[in-house]
Amino acid sequence: MLERLQLRQSGTSTNLTERLWPFLVVASQTFGLLAFILLTIWVTKFLGGMLWDGGAKEFNVHPYCMVISMILLNGEAISFFRIFRHSSKNTVKLAHASIQLVAFTLATVGLSAVFQFHDNKGYPNAYSMHSWCGLLTVSLFGLQYVFGLVFFVLRFFHENLRQDYLKLHQFFGKIIFAMAIATSLIGIDEELTFAGKYGQLPPVASLGNVLGLVLIIFGIIVAYIITHTEFERPPSDDEFKAISETEND
Amino acid sequence: MLERLQLRQSGTSTNLTERLWPFLVVASQTFGLLAFILLTIWVTKFLGGMLWDGGAKEFNVHPYCMVISMILLNGEAISFFRIFRHSSKNTVKLAHASIQLVAFTLATVGLSAVFQFHDNKGYPNAYSMHSWCGLLTVSLFGLQYVFGLVFFVLRFFHENLRQDYLKLHQFFGKIIFAMAIATSLIGIDEELTFAGKYGQLPPVASLGNVLGLVLIIFGIIVAYIITHTEFERPPSDDEFKAISETEND
């Protein structure tokens, strides 16, 4: 472990990436906030606002809730382990699980809105690439949440199995995050294609496209933060070590 | 390094993932082939075939070339370093660079097809989320190719800088691959929305959606192969060590 730490602290490569850290955190928060602002303007000013009335304004609840939950909150929650790597692991886990619960709840509201809108209008449900990807993504997110609870909160199963599952949880966390961004981009394209005049790039279309680009950039920065070992929690605070110590108490 | 190897060989987690290896390779090739077959059937039987005539058949060259180049060939090329990790590093690098060159060439054919089709029909170019994402993805792919040549074939710059850039090359390789899949999913949705009757899921739409799902599964398997350290080239064959030794000869 010590050798790994020393390895990490030496070498140009690591130092360069570590020096990027403050910029990466500021950039991720800035692009997340920018996406939130653009999304809010897009939905409220350009798509006509939100209202739970079974009409177009209820449809608008869908993109608003889905982007906030599956991309913005999800992106924050998965970055937490890196951003707060010097805080107590249990506190960070609690924050991660809480934010993901809020995200999942918001996602179900967003899904209800679009299903109710379709049903009211007599439109078919769940036929497009966007809907297939979206349902797959939210289902995986829900499964991932339940597995996370079972393994890391309720702590069923032995430490070895928890360690195995942690790798899978982290892998699928990234996959689900990427799928959420992809699904939103498909959804924006679909919405603007349905609305018509997409080819003339009216303000609603330009803003939608720019929102998509900002979501991609947010995704890339979060991906950089969560995949680079330089930003890992120092091994001394390792969950599994901490658990073993507690179990030996 | 030896300690790292030993660490890698011990522990349930690593063994479990290593035992998955043959299945992962077979699965990645199977889903890649399946995607190729579905794509070929979709484009030739359901979208009406390909012809360089400025009409709808020329448009069809676009999805065919883009999926083959930016997802299938690209996915193979980035898996090569893991699949052939016991072969000579230089051979694998040559194969990687060659396949990516074929991919980039095919992508430019695919882009020409859609631009020429739009121009012939008097349709606007590069307005949709699909086109913005696609142009960004192909541009990053081209940049990545040029940087790859400069750093790893022409070997400008010092070893330390090459090692720094390798990390960035690998990171953006994954981002570009994910963006290519996302862009294709948007494109399939857009094509089927334009064609109409999407909501009734006619065969062309069902097949397009299934193709999208197969591309997602292919992407997930490739991502698993390229992100798990268990499948890394054994450190003794490390490029940088090999280069240092050659330079000392």
Side-chain angles (χ1 to χ4, degrees):
Chain A
M1 282 300 180
L2 189 66
E3 200 198 331
R4 200 169 143 216
L5 251 188
Q6 282 166 347
L7 265 173
R8 201 184 290 176
Q9 279 157 1
S10 69
T12 354
S13 169
T14 303
N15 288 341
L16 189 76
T17 308
E18 273 175 359
R19 264 183 277 136
L20 274 177
W21 177 249
F23 301 100
L24 287 170
V25 176
V26 170
S28 74
Q29 301 310 304
T30 306
F31 277 93
L33 186 66
L34 185 60
F36 176 73
I37 294 168
L38 290 177
L39 173 72
T40 305
I41 297 173
W42 194 56
V43 168
T44 60
K45 302 282 170 202
F46 288 83
L47 296 184
M50 291 178 284
L51 207 65
W52 201 266
D53 64 349
K57 293 190 180 187
E58 183 168 326
F59 169 82
N60 292 343
V61 175
H62 174 68
Y64 200 62
C65 286
M66 300 318 283
V67 170
I68 291 176
S69 63
M70 299 295 292
I71 303 179
L72 301 182
L73 291 180
N74 186 14
E76 293 295 335
I78 60 183
S79 311
F80 265 24
F81 289 101
R82 299 294 172 95
I83 294 180
F84 301 109
R85 64 184 182 275
H86 302 295
S87 309
S88 141
K89 177 93 177 209
N90 280 336
T91 311
V92 180
K93 271 172 69 176
L94 186 69
H96 175 82
S98 308
I99 290 184
Q100 297 293 43
L101 188 63
V102 173
F104 189 67
T105 310
L106 212 55
T108 60
V109 174
L111 283 182
S112 309
V114 73
F115 274 99
Q116 202 171 304
F117 167 74
H118 282 176
D119 291 345
N120 271 355
K121 293 272 183 184
Y123 295 161
N125 278 305
Y127 63 85
S128 70
M129 178 65 78
H130 170 66
S131 60
W132 286 32
C133 288
L135 289 174
L136 181 62
T137 307
V138 176
S139 306
L140 285 175
F141 189 91
L143 264 180
Q144 173 98 332
Y145 194 83
V146 171
F147 276 91
L149 273 189
V150 168
F151 277 90
F152 307 126
V153 178
L154 302 177
R155 283 181 182 167
F156 286 156
F157 309 115
H158 186 262
E159 183 192 311
N160 281 350
L161 207 59
R162 282 210 301 274
Q163 232 165 333
D164 282 353
Y165 175 65
L166 178 61
K167 281 192 177 183
L168 213 59
H169 189 82
Q170 291 169 332
F171 176 73
F172 274 100
K174 288 167 205 139
I175 295 289
I176 292 166
F177 182 59
M179 285 175 66
I181 296 176
T183 305
S184 293
L185 302 177
I186 307 172
I188 294 171
D189 192 301
E190 208 185 82
E191 164 70 13
L192 296 172
T193 303
F194 279 137
K197 295 188 185 167
Y198 200 177
Q200 289 143 53
L201 271 184
V204 64
S206 306
L207 187 56
N209 285 359
V210 171
L211 170 62
L213 280 192
V214 171
L215 292 175
I216 292 172
I217 297 170
F218 175 69
I220 293 175
I221 302 166
V222 168
Y224 196 92
I225 287 175
I226 62 177
T227 56
H228 280 69
T229 48
E230 292 86 349
F231 314 135
E232 266 177 3
R233 172 171 292 270
S236 55
D237 296 337
D238 189 85
E239 183 204 17
F240 299 104
K241 199 177 156 234
I243 291 166
S244 315
E245 279 166 0
T246 318
E247 281 166 356
N248 290 342
D249 274 348
Chain B
M1 281 300 180
L2 190 66
E3 199 200 332
R4 200 170 143 215
L5 251 188
Q6 282 165 347
L7 265 174
R8 199 184 291 176
Q9 277 154 4
S10 70
T12 352
S13 169
T14 302
N15 288 341
L16 190 77
T17 307
E18 273 176 0
R19 265 183 276 135
L20 273 178
W21 177 248
F23 302 100
L24 288 169
V25 176
V26 170
S28 75
Q29 300 310 304
T30 306
F31 277 92
L33 187 65
L34 185 60
F36 176 73
I37 293 169
L38 291 177
L39 173 72
T40 306
I41 296 173
W42 194 58
V43 168
T44 59
K45 302 285 172 199
F46 289 82
L47 296 183
M50 292 178 283
L51 207 65
W52 202 265
D53 64 350
K57 293 189 181 188
E58 183 168 327
F59 169 81
N60 293 342
V61 173
H62 174 67
Y64 200 63
C65 286
M66 300 318 284
V67 171
I68 291 175
S69 63
M70 298 295 292
I71 303 179
L72 301 181
L73 291 180
N74 186 14
E76 292 294 335
I78 60 183
S79 311
F80 264 25
F81 289 101
R82 298 295 172 97
I83 294 181
F84 300 109
R85 65 183 181 275
H86 301 295
S87 308
S88 140
K89 177 93 177 210
N90 279 337
T91 311
V92 180
K93 271 171 68 176
L94 186 68
H96 175 83
S98 309
I99 290 185
Q100 297 293 42
L101 187 62
V102 173
F104 190 66
T105 310
L106 213 55
T108 59
V109 175
L111 283 182
S112 310
V114 73
F115 275 100
Q116 202 171 306
F117 166 75
H118 281 176
D119 291 345
N120 271 356
K121 293 273 182 182
Y123 296 160
N125 277 306
Y127 63 84
S128 72
M129 179 64 79
H130 170 67
S131 61
W132 285 31
C133 289
L135 290 173
L136 181 62
T137 307
V138 176
S139 306
L140 286 175
F141 189 92
L143 263 181
Q144 173 98 331
Y145 195 83
V146 171
F147 276 90
L149 274 187
V150 168
F151 277 88
F152 307 125
V153 177
L154 303 176
R155 283 181 182 167
F156 286 158
F157 309 115
H158 187 263
E159 184 193 309
N160 281 350
L161 206 60
R162 281 210 302 275
Q163 233 166 333
D164 282 352
Y165 175 64
L166 178 61
K167 282 193 177 183
L168 213 59
H169 189 81
Q170 291 170 333
F171 176 74
F172 273 99
K174 288 168 204 138
I175 295 290
I176 292 166
F177 182 58
M179 285 175 66
I181 296 177
T183 305
S184 293
L185 302 178
I186 308 171
I188 294 171
D189 192 301
E190 206 184 83
E191 164 69 13
L192 296 173
T193 303
F194 279 136
K197 294 189 185 165
Y198 200 178
Q200 290 144 53
L201 271 184
V204 65
S206 306
L207 188 56
N209 285 0
V210 172
L211 170 62
L213 280 193
V214 171
L215 292 175
I216 292 172
I217 298 170
F218 175 70
I220 293 176
I221 303 167
V222 168
Y224 196 93
I225 287 175
I226 62 176
T227 55
H228 280 70
T229 48
E230 292 86 350
F231 314 136
E232 264 177 5
R233 171 170 294 270
S236 55
D237 296 337
D238 189 86
E239 183 203 22
F240 300 105
K241 197 173 158 238
I243 292 166
S244 314
E245 278 166 0
T246 318
E247 282 168 355
N248 290 340
D249 274 349

